[in-house]
Amino acid sequence: MILEPLFPDYYIENVYQLPLEELKSRGIRGLIFDIDNTIAPFDVADPDEKLMDFFMHLQEEGFRLGILSNNNKKRVQHFNRKLKLLAIHKADKPLPFKVKSGLKKLSLTPETSALVGDQVFTDVLCGHMAGMTAIMVAPICERDQLVTKVKRGLEKQVLKVYFRKNTK
Ligand SMILES: [Mg+2]
């Protein structure tokens, strides 16, 4: 079906609900996170304590982590000051090239990695174009950048079909 690349492989309420054991059993070794409205509100500059602890936990569980955003260098580098992860700014999502070169730097392959994000047309599509597992989270907050707001309308339509399919 034509919408297939837009359907996430998993849909969860927030990153803390990632099905870690299942992902591991499917061979997923790397998790690449979108920043804005996935792991922090788009207008909050730093990761909070809960996220820091969670990322620590993920690493102890053996996952290799990266963050990527279409946002600018200043936003991404500042956000990454404490996390100190592989961080990709101006990621050109949904194009797959920058995320794929990020995976290489982490010695990961698309088949062993998942992209976690809050947008269908940006994150889910990017993950699938790169050959990765795509995990969608509900956006953290209603506050959104204007461009994103426009996309959300279309996104709702896609998700409607997705949920209809997945609740049968
Ligand atoms: Mg986002």
Side-chain angles (χ1 to χ4, degrees):
M1 180 206 230
I2 195 159
L3 292 176
E4 210 69 44
L6 297 171
F7 293 152
D9 299 292
Y10 297 90
Y11 184 94
I12 51 179
E13 281 308 308
N14 56 61
V15 291
Y16 306 104
Q17 290 177 3
L18 279 169
L20 300 182
E21 290 311 313
E22 189 179 330
L23 291 173
K24 270 194 212 170
S25 72
R26 288 181 54 172
I28 301 296
R29 297 287 173 266
L31 297 170
I32 310 296
F33 291 88
D34 166 54
I35 300 176
D36 296 336
N37 275 341
T38 295
I39 52 174
F42 85 91
D43 52 0
V44 171
D46 292 286
D48 63 17
E49 216 43 50
K50 188 179 177 189
L51 184 73
M52 302 278 293
D53 290 347
F54 182 59
F55 275 8
M56 188 84 80
H57 171 68
L58 290 177
Q59 284 170 319
E60 284 163 3
E61 290 287 313
F63 290 99
R64 268 167 266 165
L65 308 180
I67 54 176
L68 95 164
S69 174
N70 281 354
N71 215 325
N72 59 42
K73 187 173 180 181
K74 192 172 159 225
R75 158 64 161 161
V76 175
Q77 281 191 347
H78 181 97
F79 193 84
N80 195 36
R81 271 192 322 182
K82 290 186 204 155
L83 292 172
K84 299 184 182 15
L85 299 172
L86 176 87
I88 304 162
H89 62 271
K90 290 204 183 296
D92 299 331
K93 292 178 289 182
L95 296 177
F97 309 110
K98 289 196 180 164
V99 68
K100 281 174 99 170
S101 75
L103 293 181
K104 275 197 194 124
K105 285 181 194 153
L106 290 170
S107 307
L108 292 163
T109 61
E111 296 74 27
T112 58
S113 312
L115 199 159
V116 187
D118 70 304
Q119 288 192 57
V120 165
F121 294 101
T122 310
D123 304 305
V124 174
L125 187 56
C126 178
H128 283 155
M129 283 177 77
M132 302 165 73
T133 296
I135 302 175
M136 184 169 179
V137 302
I140 286 181
C141 70
E142 292 301 317
R143 300 193 302 278
D144 240 332
Q145 283 162 311
L146 189 61
V147 270
T148 309
K149 265 187 189 155
V150 178
K151 276 190 277 182
R152 292 284 183 206
L154 284 170
E155 196 170 87
K156 256 188 205 155
Q157 301 303 315
V158 174
L159 288 175
K160 223 193 260 175
V161 181
Y162 170 73
F163 285 123
R164 209 185 294 146
K165 230 178 83 176
N166 282 272
T167 49
K168 265 179 204 157

